[in-house]
Amino acid sequence: MDNLLGIWKTEKKNGVLYESWEKVSDNELQGKSFKITGADTIVLERVRLALDQNFQIVFAVRVDGENDGKETLFYLSKVTGSDYIFENPKHDFPKRIVYAIPKGDLLHAYIEGEIESKNQRSDFKFTRDLQKH
């Protein structure tokens, strides 16, 4: 999944969002999503993509101010083509996080699950950001 490495950006209704990934060891990538407001960088979430002690691939998400600062764990459940599907059926929303591993400068990720008994999905279509932030 080294193709994730680098900085990605997407334009949403509420502004430009960024996601950055770096390799911290042979078994772990670390990422964060953030937005830039004026001179401030606001981190929205931090992510670890790692091989855990049970040899499972985990997508661990931590959002400041939520879940007492603890990570929410999503485990790799399936790989279909370039799609890596991580799931946590016990989590409220999302229950699934999907990353289509990029070939080139496009990255598609989405989250999905149910909110008030209705299926919901949020798509994020990123392009590689060649500028440094």
Side-chain angles (χ1 to χ4, degrees):
M1 298 181 77
D2 284 356
N3 289 352
L4 278 178
L5 299 177
I7 298 176
W8 302 86
K9 71 178 181 178
T10 185
E11 295 192 29
K12 301 298 266 182
K13 284 182 266 184
N14 56 351
V16 179
L17 297 177
Y18 296 90
E19 192 164 292
S20 68
W21 288 93
E22 64 182 1
K23 189 171 190 166
V24 295
S25 75
D26 287 342
N27 294 328
E28 184 173 336
L29 301 180
Q30 286 185 357
K32 65 181 175 183
S33 64
F34 61 96
K35 64 183 178 178
I36 298 172
T37 305
D40 296 328
T41 299
I42 300 163
V43 176
L44 304 171
E45 65 183 16
R46 298 175 196 281
V47 180
R48 279 186 319 108
L49 183 55
L51 188 63
D52 73 6
Q53 66 273 13
N54 296 319
F55 302 102
Q56 290 183 292
I57 297 175
V58 63
F59 191 96
V61 181
R62 185 168 49 86
V63 178
D64 292 339
E66 290 184 15
N67 199 28
D68 296 323
K70 297 177 189 156
E71 294 177 324
T72 301
L73 305 179
F74 296 83
Y75 288 94
L76 182 66
S77 62
K78 188 183 337 182
V79 177
T80 305
S82 65
D83 289 356
Y84 286 68
I85 302 165
F86 300 89
E87 295 185 289
N88 180 341
K90 294 179 182 174
H91 191 250
D92 54 359
F93 182 86
K95 294 197 181 303
R96 261 174 313 290
I97 299 172
V98 180
Y99 271 75
I101 299 305
K103 292 182 174 87
D105 294 335
L106 300 175
L107 168 63
H108 180 211
Y110 61 90
I111 58 175
E112 61 185 6
E114 287 185 3
I115 297 177
E116 297 177 2
S117 301
K118 292 183 181 176
N119 287 331
Q120 302 287 325
R121 176 172 157 159
S122 295
D123 283 87
F124 301 89
K125 294 185 178 181
F126 293 93
T127 55
R128 193 176 296 276
D129 186 13
L130 302 175
Q131 302 176 24
K132 302 278 184 206
H133 290 279

